[in-house]
Amino acid sequence: MAAARPGAGSRPVVLGRIGAPFGVQGWLKVQSYTDPLEGIVRYGTWELHRGGSLGRRAVLDWKRAGSGVAVQLEGVASREAAQALTGAEVRVERAEL
């Protein structure tokens, strides 16, 4: 079954927001809107959006970080790459819920 693409009748759901970089190896803090907080990482691929699509990124690894979570995303290997995603919404297609 093919996933619906944005603009083709899809209804994305915002599950969180990317925060600041976490360390120097591309990890990111994530403000999760899910309950429990780590529930956001169960969705293996995220659509990142900030004024427009920033693309889809797979979650490679995650860990608890204080009162939230930190993630390592596919293609994000430096602090600078992580910083470029700061403020992006984390979305998944409604059908994935």
Side-chain angles (χ1 to χ4, degrees):
M1 177 163 78
R5 301 303 311 154
S10 65
R11 294 179 42 192
V13 176
V14 177
L15 295 182
R17 182 171 303 278
I18 301 292
F22 185 76
V24 296
Q25 296 180 339
W27 285 72
L28 295 148
K29 293 179 188 174
V30 178
Q31 178 184 7
S32 175
Y33 304 153
T34 65
D35 184 22
L37 293 176
E38 61 270 8
I40 194 169
V41 299
R42 293 185 187 137
Y43 302 94
T45 303
W46 298 348
E47 174 73 29
L48 302 180
H49 197 273
R50 187 181 62 230
S53 178
L54 298 174
R56 295 177 61 82
R57 305 283 179 149
V59 177
L60 301 177
D61 200 2
W62 73 278
K63 58 187 166 187
R64 290 293 302 220
S67 61
V69 295
V71 299
Q72 183 178 37
L73 298 177
E74 173 184 40
V76 183
S78 69
R79 184 173 183 84
E80 293 76 22
Q83 195 159 13
L85 298 176
T86 298
E89 290 182 332
V90 175
R91 298 178 177 186
V92 298
E93 293 300 324
R94 185 169 300 277
E96 294 181 44
L97 298 179

